[in-house]
């Protein structure tokens, strides 16, 4: 009843607004940015705010972080190195990109050192014999020496060798009173040696057995 004792009715036009409560489930590689915040670990995260209706609200993120792969390797090889199906022949840093078991973009790095075998070529001339790496050679020809160099790589040196002969003649003579040999006169029995350089440029010696 109003103040005059008359029956009265009041009307309320009521609007009820509600807060917002969204929930998201996300799987991300390494990190995930949600509402301007970057997360790097798995977990449940809440973001509180006032929605468009002016009501207190809170969204929930159910986040799973999985890792990408970034391996680093150091390798040394002779001549070449094959990594993931690609053969490299020069030193350098190489990257292999792939998707790992977590479904994440990944990249491995190879720090590669390539060493090489040694292949020296030598040319030499000698009289009668020539010693190379503790082996004595008496004939001309191409000689090979195989070894492992200081970098641990198989190596081979080549020697083109010319062997020239020295001269060693022997003369036996029986003479009366004296004998002239290579500009020298001998008057007594004996063995005499004449040293010289022959046409090959080699030290030579002839021997005279004189009676």
């Amino acid at each position: 009843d109003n103040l005059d004792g008359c029956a009265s009715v009041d009307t309320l036009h009521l609007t009820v607004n509600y807060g917002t409560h969204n929930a998201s489930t996300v799987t991300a590689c390494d990190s995930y940015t949600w509402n301007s915040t970057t997360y790097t670990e798995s977990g449940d995260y809440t973001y509180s705010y006032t929605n468009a209706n002016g009501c207190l609200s809170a969204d929930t993120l159910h986040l799973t972080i999985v890792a990408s792969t970034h391996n680093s390797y150091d390798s040394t090889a002779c001549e070449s190195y094959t990594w993931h199906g690609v053969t490299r022949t020069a030193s350098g840093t190489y990257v292999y990109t792939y998707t790992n078991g977590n479904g994440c973009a990944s990249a491995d790095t190879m720090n590669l050192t390539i060493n090489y075998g040694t292949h020296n070529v030598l040319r030499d001339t000698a009289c009668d014999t020539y010693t190379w790496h503790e082996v004595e050679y008496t004939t001309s020809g191409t000689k090979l020496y195989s070894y492992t160099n200081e970098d641990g790589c198989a190596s081979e040196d080549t020697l083109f060798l010319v062997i020239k002969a020295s001269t060693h003649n022997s003369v036996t003579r029986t003479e009366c009173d004296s004998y002239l040999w290579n500009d020298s006169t001998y008057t007594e029995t004996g063995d005499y040696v004449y040293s010289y350089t022959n046409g090959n440029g080699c030290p030579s010696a002839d021997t005279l057995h004189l009676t």
Side-chain angles (χ1 to χ4, degrees):
D1 295 343
N2 65 10
L3 296 178
D4 297 327
C6 296
S8 303
V9 176
D10 290 342
T11 301
L12 173 64
H13 300 283
L14 177 62
T15 301
V16 176
N17 293 320
Y18 300 94
T20 304
H21 299 280
N22 297 313
S24 303
T25 300
V26 174
T27 299
C29 294
D30 298 328
S31 67
Y32 185 75
T33 300
W34 184 56
N35 294 308
S36 301
T37 300
T38 299
Y39 301 93
T40 58
E41 295 183 359
S42 299
D44 295 328
Y45 299 97
T46 301
Y47 173 65
S48 299
Y49 61 101
T50 300
N51 68 7
N53 294 325
C55 297
L56 292 176
S57 301
D59 292 347
T60 301
L61 171 66
H62 304 289
L63 178 62
T64 300
I65 294 292
V66 294
S68 60
T69 304
H70 298 279
N71 296 313
S72 181
Y73 305 96
D74 296 311
S75 291
T76 300
C78 292
E79 310 298 341
S80 66
Y81 187 83
T82 299
W83 188 48
H84 294 295
V86 179
T87 299
R88 311 287 183 180
T89 58
S91 300
T93 299
Y94 300 98
V95 178
Y96 171 67
T97 57
Y98 60 101
T99 300
N100 69 3
N102 293 329
C104 295
S106 300
D108 291 350
T109 301
M110 172 67 71
N111 300 306
L112 179 61
T113 300
I114 294 292
N115 293 321
Y116 303 95
T118 304
H119 301 279
N120 296 312
V121 176
L122 308 173
R123 300 177 187 276
D124 214 343
T125 300
C127 293
D128 298 327
T129 65
Y130 186 86
T131 301
W132 188 49
H133 296 294
E134 301 181 357
V135 177
E136 185 177 272
Y137 299 97
T138 59
T139 59
S140 300
T142 301
K143 317 299 181 182
L144 301 177
Y145 172 64
S146 298
Y147 60 101
T148 299
N149 69 5
E150 61 184 8
D151 292 323
C153 295
S155 301
E156 187 174 69
D157 291 349
T158 302
L159 169 65
F160 296 104
L161 179 63
V162 176
I163 293 291
K164 295 182 178 182
S166 59
T167 304
H168 298 279
N169 296 314
S170 180
V171 179
T172 300
R173 300 288 297 188
T174 299
E175 298 291 335
C176 295
D177 297 331
S178 66
Y179 182 70
L180 178 63
W181 186 57
N182 293 311
D183 298 326
S184 294
T185 299
Y186 301 94
T187 60
E188 295 182 359
T189 297
D191 294 330
Y192 301 96
V193 177
Y194 172 65
S195 298
Y196 60 100
T197 299
N198 69 5
N200 290 331
C202 294
S204 300
D206 293 347
T207 301
L208 170 64
H209 305 288
L210 178 62
T211 302

